[in-house]
Amino acid sequence: MIVIRTAERRDATALLDLKHTLDQTTTNMLLEVGERQSTVAAVETEIDTILGRSRSTLLVAMDANLMVGYGEAVGGQFQRNAHSAMIVMGVRGTHRNLGVGGGLLRGLTHWADVTRMERLELTVQQRNRSAIRLYQRHGFHVEGYRRRSLLVEGQWVDELAMARFAPPPVEGSNG
C-alpha cells in the first residue's frame, strides 16, 4: 500500500536516492545523470527550508520502506506572487501508472486549498503525454508553450506551462 505523507528530515537519504534514480532512469526530469551535486546534509537543509515556509510543502510517497515518489510545492516569496506555488514531482519508474502521481497531486492540491494557495503551476515536457493527462485530470490547464526550452539527448524539447487555480469558495462558507 502506498502512503503519501509530508516529508521529514529523516527522509533526506531516501529522497536523494530517489532523485538520483530518476536522473538515471528518465529523461522527463530536469537534471541529467551526474549533474545533481546534492549531499544528504544539503537535502536535510532543503527539507527544513521547504517545511519551514508556510507557503511551501514537500510530500513523499512510500511503498513500505521504499520512497517511490515525491511532490514539492514552493510558494512565491513576495507579496505579488505569494498566492502561487511552483510544483515539481517525480515517481520511480517501477511505480508509474499505479496511482502514485495522482496521490501526490491530490495531496498537493489539498494542501493548496487548505492554505488558500490560489495558483499551482508547473512545466512539463510536451512529449510526456501521460503526465499531461494526469495534470489535466487534476484541474491543470495549458497556459502556454516554451519552445526549445530543454536540450535532451541532443534534441530540442518543448515544454508546456500549466496551472491550476483554486476552486471558488463554497457559497455560505467563510472562504
Side-chain angles (χ1 to χ4, degrees), residues 8-20 36-49 58:
E8 300 172 2
R9 185 175 233 269
R10 66 182 169 90
D11 293 320
T13 299
L15 182 57
L16 183 57
D17 175 66
L18 174 60
K19 288 182 177 185
H20 279 297
R36 187 176 305 279
Q37 299 299 311
S38 297
T39 63
V40 171
V43 175
E44 287 174 343
T45 300
E46 179 183 342
I47 291 170
D48 290 344
T49 300
L58 176 58

Side-chain angles (χ1 to χ4, degrees), residues 101-147:
L104 288 165
L105 273 176
R106 278 189 299 281
L108 290 170
T109 56
H110 175 75
W111 165 83
D113 293 344
V114 167
T115 59
R116 298 183 181 213
M117 187 67 65
E118 175 63 24
R119 173 185 171 89
L120 290 178
E121 56 189 38
L122 58 87
T123 60
V124 59
Q125 292 181 25
Q126 187 174 8
R127 64 188 185 174
N128 191 349
R129 293 290 173 205
S130 61
I132 293 166
R133 284 190 301 273
L134 173 68
Y135 297 138
Q136 288 173 329
R137 281 194 306 270
H138 289 270
F140 286 80
H141 300 280
V142 174
E143 291 191 315
Y145 296 88
R146 298 173 45 147
R147 305 275 182 218

Side-chain angles (χ1 to χ4, degrees), residues 12-40 42-43 46 50 58 70 72 88-91:
T13 299
L15 182 57
L16 183 57
D17 175 66
L18 174 60
K19 288 182 177 185
H20 279 297
T21 298
L22 293 171
D23 295 344
Q24 295 167 5
T25 60
T26 181
T27 58
N28 290 327
M29 302 298 285
L30 183 60
L31 300 184
E32 294 186 10
V33 176
E35 197 169 6
R36 187 176 305 279
Q37 299 299 311
S38 297
T39 63
V40 171
V43 175
E46 179 183 342
I50 291 170
L58 176 58
Y70 76 98
E72 178 177 323
V88 176
M89 289 182 32
V91 176

